[in-house]
Amino acid sequence: MKKSKIFTLILVFLVLVGCPGIKDKEPDPVAKDTLQITIVDNKTQQPVADIGAALILDGKTIKKQERSDSSGKILFKDVPEGTGYQALITNAKGYKSTASQELDVPGNPDNAVLIDKIGNGEGSGLIAGSFKDKESKTGISGMNVTVSCVTPKYSKNFSTDERGIFRAEGLLAGKYTVVGRKAGYAPFQKSYGLQDAQALTIETQFLDKAGAAANSVGNYLVSLNGSKKVSEIKKNGDSVWSFSSLGSIESATRTVNGDTFLSDGLEAKVVQTSVKGGSFFFTGLKFPVWVDSIDGTSFLVTDNDLSKIAEFTNNKETWHFSTGLNRPRSAVYLNNGNVLISDTGNKRVVEVSREGKVIWSYTKDLDKPTHAIRFTNGNTLITDAGFSRIVEVDFKGKVVWWYAGPKAQDISIKPKTQSNANALLSVKENLQTNSKKKKSDVDSQKHKTPPKGNESSILDVEAPLEDNGTLLFPRSTIKMTNGNILIVDTGNNRVIEVSRDKRIVNEIKNLPRPVSIEVL
């Protein structure tokens, strides 16, 4: 018994003090780095000195406010490595408070934060925030966010970006209500008091899936021109829903109430489908090729034959733009209230205001741009069907990323000479003017060599093109919440997900001429 008690005491002692030579494992230290940003006037494109910015993460302050130097630069030191940081700018001497795009650490040393001066009737206040899926913790893109106020009178709709972020700028002091809605998620609503020149960042909201559309979250809505239908498919390509009572299909979008709107070029109409069936509306169209909406009430329709962009609210045309357009292929809403247009016939992408003024344009080295979207950081992602590639340009027009396929990465981003273009693929969009026999532009695309004298549109190819080795007439592109790019590779009858380092991480094959895609 005595030996047993001694042995027990020894065991207790060892448990309390630990065995000799054994130490608790210390946690690995968190790597840190310096984050650099440059404050830039959005209109003059010049750096701005003495502007204050704090660093936030999910609405919480990580680094207190620092001031920009004479070159507009701010350095945030000892920032833990990670993603999702934002620079928060407030009280900026005549400029509107704003939140930057999401920043990574370590990241790009040339991070530019664009700031705008306060316009007539505007304030310097800001309300910004983000929405994420409660289960996956990923951003909810394409969510309709309405920010409204009774006094001062204000109401505007925003669409969250690929990381679930929204921001409302130029606000006067008042009590604002923020409402977030997207099919498949529980709605969000909350009111906030905003002071003069205040930058209010809402802590990230994690939303539960809810409602009949919850099972659709994460699926793809794909327009299949070859089979004249729109399908909702899973990431592996399995179809879960489709609608096919169409003359043709050019694009489709899912609204906040779960309805789907489709552009039917051959029948010259936009179709609304729901669980109750289909109904047709929007009159006065000739060949609609793209439809876009933020709030599910107002819709932006691109009419290729009329060379016109028209907005419809309650089935009536409330706004249009056509000045100088030539066969546009798509137009999408921007969160600043402007519209981004792929003006295909003029080989350009333009941003126009509601007053019809061209605010920004890009024309360099494009052949047939068919789709374009704007990121929160001001960059524009352009789908160029003519040169069969995707190009991302910054606000100055500099190419920052591009993709043409795993076997085409030796293609020069700049046009070269006619003598080196024998293997070039281009697009011949023979859109029929005969209304009795119209065809989709995708059906009329052919391989061709550019005519002599058109050296400015040449893309040099060093090796023969092979099936699936390069993109072939891509029609539209979006950025996913994980940062990857989802490409509708129409000519190769597939949809591919491409990482930023240009690797294909997912591929859905054997799709009959896909022309548009949306992540639900």
Side-chain angles (χ1 to χ4, degrees), residues 27 38 74 91 115 133 186 191 236 323 357 377 388-389 402 431:
T38 303
I74 296 177
N91 291 315
I115 58 175
D133 185 290
S191 296
N236 61 6
T323 306
K357 181 180 179 181
N377 65 359
S388 291
R389 63 183 178 182
W402 69 286
L431 294 167

Side-chain angles (χ1 to χ4, degrees), residues 93-377:
K93 298 180 181 179
Y95 287 92
K96 292 185 284 189
S97 298
T98 188
S100 74
Q101 73 276 16
E102 287 204 348
L103 306 168
D104 298 335
V105 180
N108 185 348
D110 297 323
N111 288 312
V113 179
L114 307 180
I115 58 175
D116 293 288
K117 288 188 175 180
I118 299 172
N120 293 331
E122 290 185 316
S124 59
L126 163 78
I127 296 179
S130 66
F131 294 93
K132 292 185 178 182
D133 185 290
K134 190 173 183 178
E135 182 179 351
S136 67
K137 303 297 187 294
T138 58
I140 302 174
S141 63
M143 168 170 275
N144 174 52
V145 180
T146 302
V147 179
S148 60
C149 183
V150 176
T151 305
K153 189 176 181 181
Y154 179 91
S155 183
K156 189 173 180 180
N157 290 293
F158 301 87
S159 183
T160 56
D161 68 7
E162 68 280 356
R163 292 187 174 181
I165 296 173
F166 80 95
R167 65 174 182 245
E169 300 178 351
L171 304 181
L172 296 167
K175 186 176 181 180
Y176 289 82
T177 299
V178 177
V179 178
R181 296 179 299 154
K182 184 174 183 178
Y185 285 96
F188 169 85
Q189 179 172 330
K190 194 171 181 179
S191 296
Y192 303 89
L194 186 70
Q195 303 300 318
D196 287 327
Q198 181 184 4
L200 176 62
T201 55
I202 302 171
E203 190 169 331
T204 299
Q205 301 296 313
F206 293 89
L207 302 185
D208 289 307
K209 296 182 180 70
N215 292 332
S216 293
V217 174
N219 290 345
Y220 300 152
L221 187 68
V222 186
S223 300
L224 301 172
N225 183 272
S227 56
K228 301 179 182 179
K229 70 178 182 180
V230 60
S231 291
E232 179 183 329
I233 63 176
K234 296 181 179 179
K235 195 172 182 178
N236 61 6
D238 292 343
S239 177
V240 297
W241 174 87
S242 65
F243 182 83
S244 58
S245 299
L246 301 165
S248 71
I249 176 66
E250 308 297 332
S251 73
T253 186
R254 183 72 53 84
T255 65
V256 294
N257 63 0
D259 287 355
T260 302
F261 286 77
L262 314 92
S263 57
D264 186 340
L266 290 180
E267 297 294 333
K269 63 191 177 187
V270 171
V271 181
Q272 177 185 4
T273 71
S274 66
V275 293
K276 297 180 181 179
S279 61
F280 311 135
F281 76 116
F282 296 174
T283 58
L285 302 174
K286 193 172 182 182
F287 198 77
V289 290
W290 200 268
V291 60
D292 186 48
S293 177
I294 292 181
D295 60 0
T297 301
S298 295
F299 296 87
L300 203 61
V301 181
T302 304
D303 195 311
N304 185 263
D305 271 12
L306 294 177
S307 292
K308 173 182 175 180
I309 312 300
E311 181 180 59
F312 293 86
T313 304
N314 297 325
N315 300 355
K316 294 181 179 180
E317 184 177 311
T318 55
W319 178 85
H320 73 269
F321 178 83
S322 60
T323 306
L325 296 182
N326 182 13
R327 299 285 189 180
R329 292 299 310 178
S330 69
V332 299
Y333 286 107
L334 297 178
N335 278 332
N336 60 9
N338 296 338
V339 175
L340 189 65
I341 303 171
S342 296
D343 189 10
T344 308
N346 287 321
K347 300 183 179 182
R348 64 174 184 164
V349 173
V350 294
E351 176 185 348
V352 299
S353 67
R354 305 294 287 192
E355 295 74 34
K357 181 180 179 181
V358 174
I359 305 299
W360 178 89
S361 67
Y362 182 81
T363 59
K364 188 178 181 180
D365 303 334
L366 295 179
D367 187 14
K368 290 181 173 60
T370 55
H371 183 241
I373 57 175
R374 176 70 51 76
F375 297 155
T376 307
N377 65 359

Side-chain angles (χ1 to χ4, degrees), residues 418 450-458:
Q418 175 72 41
K452 292 182 178 181
N454 193 25
E455 284 81 3
S456 63
S457 297
I458 304 302

